[in-house]
Amino acid sequence: MTSVTPNIVLIRSSPIALWGIDSQERLRRAFKRAGIAVTGQSAGGGVAGTEQPTLLIRADHVYEESVIRALIRNPSHLLVTDAGVPVAAHIAPGGDIDAAAALLQSEATVASGALPAGLSTVVDPAALASTYNHALRKRARPYVLPLTPETVPAIEHRMFHGAYKGVTDFVTKYVWPVPAMAVTRWCARLSISPNMVTTVSFLCVLAAMSLFWHGQFLAGLAAAWMMCFLDTVDGKLARVTLTSTKFGDVFDHGIDLLHPPFWYYAWFVGQGAVIGGSGQDALQTAALWIIIAGYVLGRGQEGLFIWLYRIEIHTWRPIDSWFRLITARRNPNLFILTIAALIDRPAEGFLAVAAWTIVSFLFHCWRIAQAGWQRMMGHRPCSWLTEPLVTPEAWRTERRGGSGLRGSGVP
């Protein structure tokens, strides 16, 4: 590990753009996000033996951000593709930068045998960077891919799906990807920023709330689903173009966190229900408080699990990740309300959301209790997504009672 910021030098540039950004600019943004400015464009010419670490990197390849960050942290490492072609070198102080640059300029595969001074270890992306992305709650093999006109569609597809959260609701996971990728590409080509998309999303929040309030449920649902769709697009656009900002993150997540209770209250009012009334009004009022309390307590459960066990409740075991698909959060609740509105039963849909909120809350209470019991037994709960990726053969062996890869007696 190094505490000295390396000098970044790009070599073998490429004019090919991904998501409207050429590879040199993409690398500059990636290093800037890691806190380092790119200071050079080419290597060579009397720089061997410098006392500052130097990171040479080919700009005719595409690198996942986790690989970039891992490269910065690991001096004396030569990064090769899965095919063994050298693409980046973090050269320790005093190393031979000219020889390392010549190695990167070649297309020959390389082993650990004879490396230039300043390099001692040859690694591929999977050996260098983690397969677990905590922010996106997913496991995936980190990539380094050659950039050619022929590979652009496949690379953009991989980058987009690599920006997708692995643990989320069923609408976001299965319905949005195809249209969201098309809209994300369109926004990137037109230089539409993620914050612009988030602003339109916020306007949809206000439109949906107003329409629900006035009992125009189907029109309100159209605005609500548009907001949910754009909420997917803005995050993916920020990740694939490396343009996320602290303001954008607060703006986006602030809207996500605050708007659902306002929608539920507007739906309650739109039915003509009155707090403090009797009969049907009393039933709807109870449903309103259950939904809002369930939303707040559900967020509290998630925060409690992180505080207790340092992992998200939805990433503990596979059953938790599966239940996240349908748990009583915004999109699954909107799905219930949409079915109810289509059959002209908005009040019954509201009661169904309340019932599902109770089920979801009790499920997570059960999981928190199980995690506490596991810790009492001396086993610290850890995310199944941090476990090694296994082959289908190894998984079948484990299922037959062989290797015990899951590492937990809890499902």
Side-chain angles (χ1 to χ4, degrees), residues 238-359:
R239 293 187 187 107
V240 299
T241 59
L242 303 180
T243 53
S244 60
T245 63
K246 290 183 178 180
F247 169 77
D249 187 60
V250 172
F251 186 28
D252 180 38
H253 287 90
I255 293 172
D256 291 346
L257 183 65
L258 295 175
H259 78 270
F262 291 95
W263 279 2
Y264 300 137
Y265 182 67
W267 190 283
F268 170 83
V269 173
Q271 300 173 65
V274 178
I275 293 177
S278 59
Q280 184 67 17
D281 278 355
L283 188 61
Q284 291 294 319
T285 299
L288 173 66
W289 292 125
I290 288 171
I291 293 171
I292 293 178
Y295 176 77
V296 175
L297 291 174
R299 291 288 189 169
Q301 287 175 316
E302 295 172 8
L304 175 65
F305 204 89
I306 292 173
W307 180 68
L308 290 174
Y309 310 118
R310 300 296 184 265
I311 59 172
E312 294 191 48
I313 192 170
H314 306 300
T315 66
W316 178 25
R317 305 310 306 158
I319 190 175
D320 302 298
S321 298
W322 173 82
F323 196 77
R324 177 63 179 87
L325 291 168
I326 57 174
T327 194
R329 292 280 287 269
R330 181 193 65 199
N331 286 4
N333 287 350
L334 275 182
F335 178 78
I336 295 172
L337 293 175
T338 299
I339 298 300
L342 288 172
I343 61 175
D344 197 25
R345 292 290 187 271
E348 287 79 358
F350 200 63
L351 296 177
V353 170
W356 186 237
T357 298
I358 294 173
V359 171

Side-chain angles (χ1 to χ4, degrees), residues 117-178:
L119 296 174
S120 61
T121 306
V122 178
V123 291
D124 64 14
L128 181 67
S130 172
T131 60
Y132 177 55
N133 187 317
H134 180 271
L136 296 180
R137 303 194 292 266
K138 67 192 298 181
R139 289 187 302 180
R141 184 180 176 88
Y143 59 80
V144 174
L145 303 171
L147 184 57
T148 67
E150 294 75 24
T151 60
V152 166
I155 291 175
E156 288 194 340
H157 184 273
R158 182 160 184 175
M159 291 176 68
F160 179 82
H161 288 280
Y164 234 87
K165 286 185 177 178
V167 179
T168 186
D169 65 87
F170 73 94
V171 177
T172 302
K173 192 175 183 72
Y174 299 118
V175 179
W176 291 155
V178 172

Side-chain angles (χ1 to χ4, degrees), residues 11-12 56-58 78-79 86-89 99-106:
I11 61 176
R12 295 195 62 165
L56 306 180
I57 186 165
R58 285 175 54 164
L78 177 70
L79 175 65
V87 290
L103 182 62
L104 296 186
Q105 293 284 6
S106 71

